[in-house]
């Protein structure tokens, strides 16, 4: 089909053509940005926590009356050993999707002239890396000598393990092993690198989505597990995924028997899968709401196209009759309207992409949003082409059904 | 005349049923979708205490060291222990409240009762009057109780229901953190949203179950946690509430008019200067006295995702409007013949214009009336989600009115240009073709 006649026909109906183009352009701009918002939420929800979530659960104790913190933790660890099916357990300050407890700004020099962002510090006792299933991809594994007593929060000088994402942020393109950083007077040296390990609050911390995996593991001796750590610490349990709910229930019962004076925090004591589910609840809701709004908008755009196309068909009844009388088939008429809509939609999409880019610039300025990836534009374009074709189908079929005889009528 | 225009509009709706239905649906969907999102936003940025927000202020001072790499120029949100004590004693405010959150092991005063960790708010005597917390039984405690570290407690209605079966429990006792406390009052389950007085522990989180005097709580024998602390120098003895480098206490004052606010700000400056001279503060006076709403705005309590989505919602509304313009153009063009006859019979352009606008306005009204239940449905779906702020989201009368008004104004705005086009139709040309 040649598009020459279609273009000249459109030139006669400039206003209707302009309106459809504008409708599609605006829809395209809103669609691309909304789509981007949804998918950035979904990306965050798919984050690789780096640990074997399905096999893990947490057990958290909160406060107790007149009790010795170190003794309490010791008794719980002992009680846990009698839980059948429990593969291993260890004390940690928190886990991914748990309560963040160690967000702190670090510096690359001891005078802190070079501030390097706010990662999360995990404090691990022996066995925690194995319990969580963390794997070192560069450098060495943890050795018993790494676990030291703390002076306040951390040992004065620690060997630490960091994630590849944090290493890349701190020393882009360089070997992170052996590099140093500081947090006030505490000094850290990188001994190993982990492929993935999410912070407890991915996407919601000070540095936003980019810092989702800025995690540091500091090994701590169990006897240093006092003061601040007791309030914020928890036990991480590993068991067969199928057996995990039973093991967690048994562990809670054993802990309650071993330390009757403490209270088990029921909300924070849960399988990691459940903690993850809870953590992303808001994102899921918001993504759902946005998808619903996008759907409503596409429907409205389709309605607009149906309305204008019907008007158009009604206006051109006589011309269509003439074409039919001159030998055009029904398919020809149908194709004509579909091609026309495709041309208008394409014009709208080109304009819409410029608008989408501008809108994204505004969102970037006010909401610290990332740049709209170019890959979203074709998806938006495809969707609008489909919506346009579907919307024009009804009026086009009606046009195609016009019998040639109307050409002979006076109106 | 208006009645006649309405009559004409209704006739026109009957003639173009499908087109009219499309337009109403387009506007209704636009209104429904954007109102859902805007209501979520409106509820989230709502004023937690509409009757008292004008007189509540949040003072801030800056006790941080002069050199602090990467430090925010804004002073910390909360106060250190020393500043909390000093500012609480500072005159110039009608009322003042020093408060913090904590978890305390609590049980009924009977042997063998179950122990539970309770969300507790430590606060000073003025809080109940200053924030307007309604009492069910009894009263709050006095400032003398604060000073004497009295072992008194105020329960919320729901905790009173659990512990005492909803009876008037004034005078009964509870064991909190090993000490025996006497109940002096029971308040309603008071939960202003956002929880302005302590944003650090969650702007939309659950409220405290019981309230106890601030200084009594600090005297409790053990470390039960002091709410979130912000520290700028991780020296030893962290988690000590009296550490000079950690802020954690929230402070609010009631200032009744602008002069009082200005005078109070001056007092804060003087205080900071005095602390500077004493060598406690290293920085030049850096104080803030933000009103409640200004404080919420500064803290960006509304999740940025929600704000972003509100913009998207407005974009959707715009898309709907452009669609409405398109549909109105096609509708009004179809009645070119009718308009021609009316013009030929003596109707002025003005009359045709107004009549077209009336038609557009009626379509907008219908769209708004259909859009409101759609928005209600959308909000109902938001409420089904287990997110912290979902329960707060509801469509109130002003929002409903706003939705209807938006729909009408939007439709009228969309109708201006098509109506103007219709009014310009030359009568002769149209009558000829009839």
């Amino acid at each position: 089909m040649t598009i020459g006649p279609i273009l000249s026909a459109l030139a006669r109906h400039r206003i209707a053509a302009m309106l459809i183009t504008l409708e599609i352009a605006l829809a395209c701009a809103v669609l691309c940005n909304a789509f981007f918002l949804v998918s950035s939420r979904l990306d965050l929800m798919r984050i690789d926590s780096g640990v074997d979530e399905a096999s893990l659960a947490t057990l958290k104790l909160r406060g107790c009356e007149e009790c010795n913190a170190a003794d309490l933790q010791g008794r719980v660890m002992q009680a846990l050993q009698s839980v059948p099916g429990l593969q291993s357990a260890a004390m940690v300050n928190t886990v991914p999707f748990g309560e963040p407890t160690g967000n702190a700004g670090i510096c690359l020099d001891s005078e802190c002239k070079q501030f390097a962002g706010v990662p999360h510090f995990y404090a691990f006792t022996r066995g925690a890396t194995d319990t969580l299933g963390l794997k070192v991809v560069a450098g060495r594994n943890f050795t018993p000598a790494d676990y030291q007593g703390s002076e306040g929060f951390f040992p004065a000088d620690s060997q630490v393990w960091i994630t590849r994402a944090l290493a890349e942020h701190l020393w882009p393109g360089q070997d992170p092993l052996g590099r140093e950083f500081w947090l006030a007077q505490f000094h850290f040296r990188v001994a190993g690198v982990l492929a993935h390990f999410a912070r407890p609050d991915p996407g919601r911390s000070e540095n936003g989505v980019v810092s989702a995996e800025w995690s540091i593991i500091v090994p701590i001796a169990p006897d240093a597990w006092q003061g601040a750590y007791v309030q914020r610490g928890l036990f991480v349990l590993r068991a067969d995924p199928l057996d995990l709910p039973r093991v967690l229930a048994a562990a809670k019962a054993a802990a309650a028997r071993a330390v009757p004076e403490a209270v088990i925090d029921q909300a924070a004591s849960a399988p990691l899968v459940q903690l993850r589910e809870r953590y992303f609840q808001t994102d899921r809701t918001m993504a759902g709401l946005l998808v619903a709004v996008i759907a409503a908008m596409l429907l409205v755009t389709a309605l607009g196209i149906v309305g204008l196309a019907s008007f158009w068909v009604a206006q051109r009844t006589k011309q269509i009759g003439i074409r039919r009388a001159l030998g055009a088939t029904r398919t020809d008429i149908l194709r004509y309207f579909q091609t026309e809509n495709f041309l208008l939609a394409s014009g709208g999409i080109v304009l819409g992409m410029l608008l989408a880019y501008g809108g994204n610039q505004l969102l970037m300025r006010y909401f610290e949003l990332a740049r709209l990836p170019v890959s979203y534009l074709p998806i938006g374009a495809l969707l609008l082409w489909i919506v346009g074709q579907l919307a024009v189908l009804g009026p086009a079929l009606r046009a195609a059904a016009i019998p040639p005889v109307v050409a002979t009528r006076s109106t | 005349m208006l009645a006649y225009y309405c009559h004409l509009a209704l006739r026109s709706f009957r003639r173009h049923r499908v087109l009219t239905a499309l337009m109403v649906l387009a506007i209704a969907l636009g209104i429904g979708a954007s109102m859902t999102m805007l209501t979520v936003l409106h509820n989230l940025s709502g004023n937690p205490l509409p009757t008292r927000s004008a007189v509540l202020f949040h003072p801030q001072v800056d006790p941080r060291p002069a050199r602090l790499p990467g430090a925010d120029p804004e002073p910390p949100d909360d106060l250190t222990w020393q500043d909390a004590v000093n500012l609480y004693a500072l005159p110039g405010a009608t009322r003042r409240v020093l408060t913090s959150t904590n978890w305390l092991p609590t049980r009924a005063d009977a042997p063998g009762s179950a122990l539970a960790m309770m969300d507790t708010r430590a606060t000073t005597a003025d809080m109940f009057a200053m924030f307007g917390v309604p009492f069910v039984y009894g009263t709050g405690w006095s400032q003398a109780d604060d000073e004497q570290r009295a072992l008194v407690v105020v329960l919320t209605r729901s905790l009173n229901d659990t512990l005492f079966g909803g009876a008037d429990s004034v005078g009964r006792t509870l064991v909190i953190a090993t000490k025996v406390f006497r109940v002096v009052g029971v308040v309603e389950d008071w939960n202003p949203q956002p929880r302005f007085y302590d944003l650090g522990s969650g702007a939309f989180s659950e409220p405290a179950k019981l309230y106890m005097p601030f200084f009594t709580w600090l005297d409790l024998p053990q470390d039960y946690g002091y709410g979130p602390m912000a520290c700028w120098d991780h020296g030893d003895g962290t988690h000590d509430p009296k550490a000079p480098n950690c802020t954690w206490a929230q402070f609010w004052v009631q200032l009744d008019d602008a002069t009082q606010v200005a005078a109070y700000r001056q007092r804060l400056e003087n205080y900071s200067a005095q602390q500077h001279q004493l060598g406690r503060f290293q920085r030049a006076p850096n104080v803030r006295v933000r009103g409640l709403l200004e404080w919420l705005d500064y803290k960006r309590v509304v999740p940025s995702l929600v704000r972003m989505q509100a913009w998207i919602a407005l974009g959707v509304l715009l898309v709907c409007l452009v669609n409405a313009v398109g549909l109105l153009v096609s509708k009004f063009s179809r009645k070119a013949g009718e308009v021609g006859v009316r013009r030929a019979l003596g109707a002025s352009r003005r009359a045709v214009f107004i009549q077209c606008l009336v038609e557009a306005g009626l379509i907008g009204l219908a769209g708004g009336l259909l859009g409101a239940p759609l928005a209600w449905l959308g909000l109902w779906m938001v409420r089904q989600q287990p997110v912290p702020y979902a329960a707060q989201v509801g469509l109130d009368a002003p929002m409903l009115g706003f939705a209807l008004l938006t729909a009408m104004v939007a439709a009228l705005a969309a109708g201006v240009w098509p109506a103007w086009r219709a009014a310009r139709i030359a009568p002769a040309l149209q009558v000829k073709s009839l």
Side-chain angles (χ1 to χ4, degrees):
Chain A
M1 164 155 289
T2 48
I3 58 169
I6 300 181
L7 287 178
S8 55
L10 280 178
R12 296 258 175 97
H13 299 274
R14 257 177 255 125
I15 285 162
M18 254 167 47
L19 279 171
I20 291 193
T21 312
L22 193 61
E23 273 165 21
I24 290 175
L26 277 174
C28 181
V30 175
L31 186 74
C32 287
N33 279 294
F35 217 60
F36 177 47
L37 278 187
V38 172
S39 75
S40 56
R41 289 290 113 183
L42 294 183
D43 281 350
L44 185 63
M45 283 162 64
R46 273 197 299 270
I47 188 176
D48 181 358
S49 65
V51 301
D52 186 3
E53 286 172 40
S55 317
L56 297 172
T58 55
L59 172 65
K60 188 169 172 78
L61 302 180
R62 276 207 115 130
C64 92
E65 286 185 80
E66 296 164 339
C67 51
N68 175 315
D71 157 64
L72 177 127
Q73 310 281 330
R75 274 189 284 154
V76 174
M77 280 303 277
Q78 189 138 40
L80 288 178
Q81 279 166 11
S82 66
V83 174
L86 181 69
Q87 291 164 357
S88 66
M91 282 188 285
V92 295
N93 61 343
T94 188
V95 291
F97 316 117
E99 196 186 336
T101 62
N103 281 324
I106 58 167
C107 306
L108 294 181
D109 58 302
S110 58
E111 285 83 44
C112 204
K113 293 197 182 88
Q114 253 184 298
F115 185 73
V118 185
H120 184 271
F121 283 86
Y122 282 99
F124 279 15
T125 57
R126 276 181 76 177
T129 43
D130 291 337
T131 303
L132 284 163
L134 289 170
K135 297 272 183 301
V136 172
V137 290
R140 61 176 182 82
N141 263 308
F142 293 67
T143 65
D146 291 325
Y147 298 89
Q148 309 173 56
S150 79
E151 293 170 19
F153 268 113
F154 301 113
D157 232 319
S158 336
Q159 300 285 321
V160 296
W161 280 256
I162 67 173
T163 56
R164 204 146 46 191
L166 181 60
E168 198 48 43
H169 165 71
L170 297 179
W171 305 285
Q174 299 170 45
D175 181 10
L177 294 176
R179 305 297 288 258
E180 306 162 282
F181 59 90
W182 281 262
L183 190 172
Q185 80 273 29
F186 300 112
H187 171 239
F188 305 90
R189 192 182 290 275
V190 178
V193 178
L194 304 163
H196 292 285
F197 189 32
R199 65 195 302 152
D201 48 357
R204 309 217 178 119
S205 55
E206 204 166 310
N207 299 81
V209 178
V210 285
S211 71
E213 285 195 47
W214 290 4
S215 308
I216 297 166
I217 299 176
V218 185
I220 300 272
D223 54 2
W225 207 264
Q226 294 182 18
Y229 288 123
V230 176
Q231 283 289 333
R232 306 179 137 194
L234 48 78
F235 299 88
V236 57
L237 317 173
R238 170 184 277 272
D240 184 81
L242 294 173
D243 207 18
L244 191 62
R246 189 196 58 77
V247 170
L248 177 60
K252 280 186 196 172
R257 264 197 311 278
V259 282
E261 67 271 42
V263 178
I264 292 173
D265 183 339
Q266 297 293 343
S269 303
L272 237 62
V273 180
Q274 205 175 315
L275 292 182
R276 182 190 190 111
E277 172 97 11
R278 216 182 291 157
Y279 181 80
F280 287 120
Q281 191 64 58
T282 312
D283 302 84
R284 233 190 321 278
T285 305
M286 283 307 177
L289 195 58
L290 257 185
V291 168
V293 168
I294 294 174
M297 188 193 68
L298 285 180
L299 194 58
V300 169
T301 307
L303 292 181
I305 294 174
V306 170
L308 276 178
S310 315
F311 158 65
W312 209 312
V313 169
Q315 234 186 11
R316 287 187 283 184
T317 303
K318 195 167 173 183
Q319 296 155 30
I320 294 165
I322 293 171
R323 278 199 66 199
R324 292 276 283 123
L326 290 177
T329 62
R330 289 185 177 205
T331 322
D332 286 336
I333 304 290
L334 193 63
R335 283 288 134 71
Y336 177 89
F337 280 99
Q338 281 178 326
T339 313
E340 187 184 70
N341 183 273
F342 182 80
L343 289 176
L344 289 175
S346 306
I349 286 163
V350 170
L351 189 62
M353 285 178 178
L354 296 175
L355 280 176
Y357 189 73
N360 175 241
Q361 292 288 318
L362 282 178
L363 289 181
M364 268 169 70
R365 183 168 326 149
Y366 293 108
F367 302 106
E368 296 102 35
L369 201 73
R371 184 176 299 280
L372 184 73
V374 184
S375 60
Y376 284 92
L377 301 178
I379 301 172
L382 193 67
L383 252 175
L384 283 167
W385 267 318
I386 293 172
V387 166
Q389 289 299 311
L390 287 179
V392 87
L393 200 61
L397 282 173
R398 223 168 325 122
I402 291 170
V405 71
V406 294
T408 60
R409 292 190 191 138
S410 64
T411 47
Chain B
M1 215 52 190
L2 196 66
Y4 174 61
Y5 290 154
C6 287
H7 176 73
L8 277 182
L10 288 177
R11 282 181 67 92
S12 148
F13 293 163
R14 263 203 297 279
R15 202 146 359 107
H16 305 289
R17 276 201 199 97
V18 176
L19 202 54
T20 311
L22 283 182
M23 272 188 282
V24 171
L25 202 58
I27 292 177
L29 277 173
I31 292 287
S34 43
M35 278 304 138
T36 304
M37 289 229 172
L38 289 176
T39 307
V40 170
L41 181 75
H42 173 74
N43 280 307
L44 285 180
S45 59
N47 186 342
L49 290 184
T51 52
R52 310 199 56 81
S53 60
V55 295
L56 297 182
F57 291 83
H58 182 259
Q60 290 165 267
V61 293
D62 196 343
R64 295 173 301 174
R67 275 190 63 252
L68 192 63
D72 194 334
E74 286 290 330
D77 295 345
D78 298 335
L79 300 182
T80 60
W81 160 249
Q82 190 62 54
D83 291 320
V85 172
N86 293 350
L87 291 188
Y88 188 65
L90 195 72
T94 314
R95 289 184 175 120
R96 65 246 194 273
V97 162
L98 199 52
T99 175
S100 182
T101 181
N102 47 338
W103 273 60
L104 295 177
T106 306
R107 60 183 172 83
D109 187 15
S113 4
L115 188 69
M117 291 303 284
M118 287 287 168
D119 254 321
T120 308
R121 180 144 292 277
T123 184
T124 52
D126 278 349
M127 190 197 97
F128 302 101
M130 187 164 142
F131 293 164
V133 187
F135 274 87
V136 184
Y137 304 117
T139 57
W141 57 83
S142 66
Q143 293 203 1
D145 288 331
D146 269 336
E147 282 155 26
Q148 292 157 12
R149 275 97 166 118
L151 295 175
V152 291
V153 64
V154 166
L155 309 181
T156 53
R157 185 193 272 275
S158 56
L159 184 61
N160 190 50
D161 287 351
T162 318
L163 290 177
F164 301 107
D168 182 351
S169 57
V170 173
R172 307 278 293 266
T173 53
L174 283 180
V175 178
I176 304 171
T178 73
K179 294 196 172 184
V180 178
F181 281 70
R182 182 170 50 85
V183 177
V184 290
V186 176
V187 291
E188 285 292 351
D189 288 331
W190 180 74
N191 188 20
Q193 297 284 319
R195 208 178 58 166
F196 68 96
Y197 51 86
D198 184 4
L199 298 173
S201 43
F204 298 97
S205 48
E206 287 285 306
K209 292 272 198 299
L210 37 90
Y211 300 86
M212 68 161 61
F214 187 84
F215 299 101
T216 307
W217 159 65
L218 265 177
D219 274 358
L220 288 178
Q222 250 195 307
D223 171 359
Y224 292 106
Y226 300 90
M229 281 188 172
C231 305
W232 50 81
D233 172 18
H234 301 261
D236 44 305
T238 43
H239 222 68
D240 172 7
K242 299 185 180 172
N245 59 330
C246 291
T247 59
W248 53 274
Q250 292 87 47
F251 185 54
W252 286 83
V253 291
Q254 177 177 334
L255 303 171
D256 296 325
D257 53 49
T259 19
Q260 209 183 352
V261 175
Y264 195 81
R265 191 186 308 271
Q266 192 53 51
R267 276 181 208 270
L268 278 185
E269 299 237 353
N270 294 347
Y271 168 78
S272 294
Q274 177 213 349
Q275 295 293 316
H276 187 72
Q277 266 176 356
L278 289 173
R280 249 197 86 228
F281 284 10
Q282 293 183 16
R283 298 184 176 214
N286 181 22
V287 307
R288 301 284 183 280
V289 187
R290 290 191 167 95
L292 194 157
L293 293 180
E294 198 189 341
W295 170 245
L296 292 180
D297 193 43
Y298 162 65
K299 289 303 284 177
R300 307 191 70 158
V301 167
V302 182
S304 74
L305 198 66
V306 176
R307 286 148 68 111
M308 217 145 59
Q309 289 186 334
W311 279 106
I312 298 273
L314 287 177
V316 171
L317 191 62
L318 188 66
V319 168
C320 295
L321 283 188
V322 173
N323 277 290
V325 172
L327 291 166
L328 282 171
V329 165
S330 68
K331 189 158 198 291
F332 291 163
S333 310
R334 276 193 205 192
K335 40 192 250 168
E338 184 199 318
V339 169
V341 173
R342 282 191 59 208
R343 291 275 285 121
L345 292 176
S348 65
R349 281 196 175 161
R350 207 180 117 85
V352 171
F353 182 75
I354 291 175
Q355 198 262 313
C356 286
L357 275 189
V358 166
E359 203 170 320
L362 280 178
I363 288 172
L365 188 65
L369 285 175
L370 189 64
L374 283 181
W376 184 86
L377 192 74
L379 290 173
W380 178 81
M381 290 196 297
V382 173
R383 273 199 301 275
Q384 301 313 301
Q385 307 297 325
V387 285
Y389 54 80
Q392 314 301 327
V393 172
L395 198 63
D396 49 14
M399 216 51 199
L400 198 71
F402 180 66
L404 284 180
L405 196 71
T406 311
M408 287 270 285
V409 170
L412 283 176
V416 168
W417 182 61
W420 180 72
R421 262 170 56 87
R424 273 181 55 228
I425 287 167
L429 213 62
Q430 295 301 326
V431 176
K432 206 159 68 183
S433 74
L434 274 178

